[in-house]
Amino acid sequence: MPYELVFKHPFTVSIHSRTTTPVVYIRIWCEGVFGIGEASMPPYLGETQESVIDFIKKVDLSEINHTADLNQILAFIDRLAPGNNAAKAGIDIAFHDLFSKIEGKHLSTFLTLPNQPKLSSFTIGLDTPEQMANKVKEAEQYGFELLKVKLGSEDDAARMDAILSVWNKPFSIDVNQGWQNPDKDLDFILELAKSGLLFVEQPYLSTDLERARRLTACSPIPIIADESIKRWADMDVIAESFHGINVKLMKSTGIAEAMRMIQRAKANGLLVVTGCMAESSCAVAAMSHLSNLADWVDLDGPFLMKNDPFLGLNLVSGMLKLPTNPGIGVDFKVPVDSWAAVEV
Ligand code: MG
């Protein structure tokens, strides 16, 4: 089911700005139970609603042995074509929803993970210093206790001054590849560390691992990879350049590989952020079940949208309360039958 998520405010980071994000919701039926998943396609990542639907049409489950387990099914789907990470994530989420519903468990129990509430951050998009300070009020209205501030421009100091004039709780910054000078950037990080800076995300171009390695080597505040890492295989490449990784379902191809990446990161002493793209409560609820594996949780997608079509994800005292219904734990606000679905 193709759908267009609409942002409450134009979403601006250092390299682009947009007002909507296309998504596709995917349902898989098995003996009267359905699993639901979401593929979200920020335009700069190259997937579209058409490419997601085309990929889903390639999936012929009759080719799978009926005794195959969930990981074998997902490995089969991954081999159908390279790329298509968001499409694969949507299918992976739908299968996890389905399998855990069949067992009558919510997803974290199905994955044998704890399901305690966990603090999540709220994103302040790049804007004028005044507007960014205004957006802090929105975070406070929701009750968020952590901010993630988008930076990566000439006026970063003025923007942080404006935000810190109205916010005295912890925060992280996401540079979205917008910085260039590790010496100057380290000075700025040390200054922000006095005001509660938790971590810095993706300071340099995704391919500029040498510059990231230089900053990571001398920064007392963790430097986290986002655009530099998508899947498990990328972990070999980035390990020396960052203190940690931001794992997102739309990059990792879904929950199964995200879990493996998180477990490997922790085994190797890397910090973990669980994040999201512009996503509704469907994909974000799915990722929220992995929250207790993360050092920091950055799952605010539904709070940035005007038209989240799901019920089910709540914030209590700044903490994401994991859904307790079976599966990923969310339901549509409107009857599913009223949707213009594409049957495949
Ligand atoms: Mg980021």
Side-chain angles (χ1 to χ4, degrees):
M1 295 176 285
Y3 189 76
E4 198 82 13
L5 289 174
V6 180
F7 286 99
K8 289 177 183 164
H9 307 286
F11 188 73
T12 303
V13 301
S14 68
I15 51 173
H16 69 272
S17 182
R18 64 186 197 276
T19 55
T20 63
T21 296
V23 298
V24 173
Y25 295 113
I26 298 162
R27 279 180 295 169
I28 300 172
W29 274 269
C30 178
E31 296 175 356
V33 181
F34 75 78
I36 181 101
E38 173 178 7
S40 168
M41 287 78 66
Y44 60 93
L45 291 176
E47 291 182 74
T48 62
Q49 290 174 332
E50 292 72 27
S51 72
V52 168
I53 291 167
D54 285 347
F55 182 80
I56 294 168
K57 286 177 179 169
K58 291 192 176 88
V59 180
D60 179 0
L61 295 177
S62 67
E63 292 177 24
I64 301 179
N65 185 317
H66 72 281
T67 59
D69 66 17
L70 179 54
N71 282 327
Q72 288 169 324
I73 293 171
L74 297 173
F76 164 79
I77 291 167
D78 191 26
R79 287 194 299 270
L80 292 174
N84 293 284
N85 293 25
K88 291 172 182 174
I91 297 169
D92 166 291
I93 295 167
F95 269 113
H96 276 87
D97 190 36
L98 177 68
F99 273 62
S100 44
K101 276 178 178 165
I102 288 171
E103 291 197 12
K105 296 173 177 170
H106 49 87
L107 181 59
S108 35
T109 303
F110 176 78
L111 297 171
T112 63
L113 297 175
N115 55 359
Q116 301 303 313
K118 187 100 175 182
L119 281 178
S120 174
S121 49
F122 180 82
T123 302
I124 306 292
L126 201 58
D127 208 323
T128 63
E130 297 72 27
Q131 281 302 330
M132 289 176 78
N134 279 337
K135 288 177 186 171
V136 173
K137 292 193 191 99
E138 216 171 303
E140 286 172 335
Q141 280 162 7
Y142 281 124
F144 282 95
E145 297 284 326
L146 304 172
L147 288 186
K148 175 154 144 183
V149 182
K150 296 287 193 182
L151 294 179
S153 71
E154 289 297 307
D155 302 321
D156 283 351
R159 289 184 163 91
M160 283 313 307
D161 284 347
I163 285 176
L164 294 175
S165 70
V166 293
W167 180 263
N168 60 11
K169 295 172 186 169
F171 62 96
S172 60
I173 60 176
D174 186 356
V175 184
N176 288 114
Q177 314 180 67
W179 285 354
Q180 295 187 6
N181 184 332
D183 294 331
K184 181 169 145 250
D185 302 335
L186 178 63
D187 291 341
F188 188 50
I189 289 169
L190 294 174
E191 198 54 41
L192 293 180
K194 298 174 192 165
S195 304
L197 177 61
L198 298 170
F199 63 88
V200 178
E201 200 170 292
Q202 198 66 45
Y204 308 117
L205 281 177
S206 60
T207 51
D208 192 349
L209 299 179
E210 173 54 23
R211 222 179 289 228
R213 191 193 60 74
R214 279 172 54 201
L215 183 63
T216 295
C218 55
S219 173
I221 299 292
I223 309 297
I224 304 291
D226 185 2
E227 287 88 338
S228 290
I229 180 159
K230 290 191 171 78
R231 300 194 59 173
W232 165 275
D234 302 327
M235 293 182 76
D236 296 330
V237 183
I238 61 96
E240 301 299 313
S241 298
F242 295 92
H243 296 109
I245 58 174
N246 187 333
V247 181
K248 298 178 180 174
L249 297 181
M250 299 303 139
K251 297 190 298 181
S252 73
T253 70
I255 294 162
E257 187 155 326
M259 286 258 300
R260 289 197 291 273
M261 290 172 71
I262 293 170
Q263 285 157 350
R264 178 175 170 191
K266 297 187 96 59
N268 292 342
L270 289 170
L271 296 161
V272 172
V273 180
T274 46
C276 61
M277 302 291 183
E279 296 164 12
S280 70
S281 288
C282 178
V284 168
M287 190 53 145
S288 75
H289 289 277
L290 307 191
S291 295
N292 285 279
L293 295 174
D295 296 284
W296 296 289
V297 174
D298 181 30
L299 294 176
D300 62 347
F303 300 94
L304 307 178
M305 302 299 164
K306 274 184 190 170
N307 61 340
D308 181 358
F310 288 88
L311 299 164
L313 200 62
N314 292 311
L315 194 78
V316 179
S317 305
M319 294 193 276
L320 273 182
K321 202 161 175 296
L322 271 60
T324 51
N325 297 335
I328 59 175
V330 292
D331 269 320
F332 282 108
K333 284 177 186 167
V334 293
V336 172
D337 293 343
S338 68
W339 286 65
V342 180
E343 296 280 345
V344 295

